Amino acid sequence: MAESARAAPPRWLVLAAVAGIGLNLRPFLTAVGPLAPAIRGGTGLSYQGMAWLTLLPMLLMGVGAFFGPAIRARLGARTAVLGALALLGAGCALRLGVAGGAWLIASAALCGLGVAVVQAACPGLVKQEFPARVAPVMGLYSAALMGGGALGAQLSPYVNELAGSWRDALALWAVPALAALALAWVALPRGPVRQPASAPAAPSGRPPSAAGKTRALLRRPRTWLLMISFGVMNGGYASLVAWLAPFYQSHGWSAPASGSLVALMAVAQAAAALLLPALAARRLDRRAWMALALAMQVAGFAGLALWPDAAPHAWAVIGGAGLGGCFALYLVVALDHLPDPDSAGALSAVMQGGGFLLASLAPWITAMLQARTGSFAAGWWYHLACAAVVGVLTMRLDPARYGASFALPAPAGCARQPG
């Protein structure tokens, strides 16, 4: 027991690893938008083709998240995260030598697979290692994720100008991914995931498999509510990452200036992702803060659609804060629904899986609306409507109903007893 205690990494080091991992999950996406003209010129990709650089990774994040619990159960969270970071680093490094659009899209797919596994494993890991501090630690993870997106958008245009190559600017992000891999190797706890005493057993007496948990969760209406809300809301983030910089470049902005705007949006996301879960931690009912975040999204998209040149920095900050806060709060709410880390992590993975499948369509929808109307404004109106719909769905997330949402059904023929 003493040897096990000595081997346990200190809490601050685990927190640093969580933050370092989060920082690497978005730069490969946010670096693309500010470099869109250079990438289009070098590859011949159209706007619809460029949409695949965001669509495909998010699609794979969604598909991969469904397999995340099984990977975590078989390999353990530590091994799964280490392998995923290696995959992410390899995908970024391969961009150094891409010859055309197809290879660039393939590298985006490799990065998306790595991120999918990390996003499926990290929430359960947080619930396991910080059971009494889930909201603030998930806020740290979400803030780091959004902050990494800011770095990708801000630095990539300058690297492109210094190196004279958009390929170098995209491949740069292999370096922090490998650094996060080294930190995670040292900091993440070793050994199998601790099984909670209260984990439900299958009828045979054995704990349910990861696939069995996923199937059981998909039979619950609450799981679908979380997936749809999370996915429709995150579609706004996917479209802004893909098209905010090209939108303002069409208004005469330079690549570095438009990249700075995307970075500002991501910084606002990070700040809200850190702040709102901490404020919402005082009560289990997070709906008021989620409604605030969704209202900010509505305001941000309305500003982009109606008055894009009046206050672009304000729209980026308001919309980004709404998206970042809502992202983090939905991760927290998913973990709130179930008491043990394994089941809560499985629900979070399923929510992210279905959610990212939906969100992946948003950049393509926005590109199609732009092709039909000649303006990105139609896409901003679309996302404004999406935020309003998610606001209605979010009001159903009453914590008093969390237990009932995932309660086992009564056996057939058994009458419910009074009291």
Side-chain angles (χ1 to χ4, degrees), residues 328-355:
L329 287 169
Y330 258 95
L331 291 181
V332 171
V333 165
L335 296 176
D336 285 342
H337 273 75
L338 293 164
D340 66 274
D342 225 23
S343 297
L347 176 60
S348 178
V350 171
M351 179 189 75
Q352 291 184 72

Side-chain angles (χ1 to χ4, degrees), residues 32-312:
V32 170
L35 302 177
I39 294 172
R40 291 182 68 198
T43 62
L45 288 171
S46 65
Y47 275 131
Q48 286 83 358
M50 289 286 296
W52 282 93
L53 296 175
T54 305
L55 186 159
L56 188 57
M58 296 197 75
L59 182 69
L60 290 170
M61 289 180 206
V63 173
F66 284 109
F67 297 96
I71 294 172
R72 180 172 179 256
R74 180 173 293 272
L75 301 178
R78 181 178 187 274
T79 303
V81 169
L82 293 176
L85 287 171
L87 200 62
L88 175 59
C92 291
L94 287 174
R95 293 179 155 186
L96 190 62
V98 291
W103 286 104
L104 184 60
I105 292 170
S107 73
L110 198 61
C111 293
L113 284 173
V115 171
V117 175
V118 173
Q119 290 182 160
C122 261
L125 182 67
V126 168
K127 180 97 171 181
Q128 172 190 312
E129 297 301 316
F130 302 95
R133 305 284 294 170
V134 168
V137 177
M138 285 307 297
L140 172 67
Y141 165 76
S142 300
L145 186 150
M146 305 300 178
L151 289 174
Q154 182 71 69
L155 296 182
S156 297
Y158 291 105
V159 175
N160 176 48
E161 290 190 347
L162 290 172
S165 170
W166 57 265
R167 293 175 177 86
D168 293 347
L170 295 180
L172 164 72
W173 301 103
V175 176
L178 295 177
L181 173 62
L183 178 59
W185 181 276
V186 173
L188 293 187
R190 299 172 183 269
V193 175
R194 296 189 295 271
Q195 296 296 330
S198 59
S204 63
R206 297 189 300 271
S209 66
K213 285 183 178 180
T214 298
R215 287 193 297 268
L217 288 170
L218 288 173
R219 289 194 289 267
R220 302 292 182 175
R222 176 53 57 89
T223 303
W224 288 91
L225 173 64
L226 290 169
M227 278 197 301
I228 291 169
S229 300
F230 185 79
V232 172
M233 179 271 300
N234 267 295
Y237 171 76
S239 284
L240 286 176
V241 164
W243 303 127
L244 184 63
F247 174 58
Y248 276 101
Q249 287 171 17
S250 72
H251 285 237
W253 290 42
S254 68
S258 64
S260 295
L261 191 64
V262 177
L264 180 64
M265 178 198 73
V267 168
Q269 287 179 307
L274 189 62
L275 179 62
L276 289 190
L279 294 173
R282 299 171 186 174
R283 296 179 58 194
L284 186 59
D285 192 344
R286 330 276 188 186
R287 288 177 293 175
W289 295 105
M290 297 168 86
L292 173 62
L294 289 160
M296 287 192 287
Q297 291 179 43
V298 168
F301 283 118
L304 290 173
L306 292 171
W307 312 285
D309 296 316

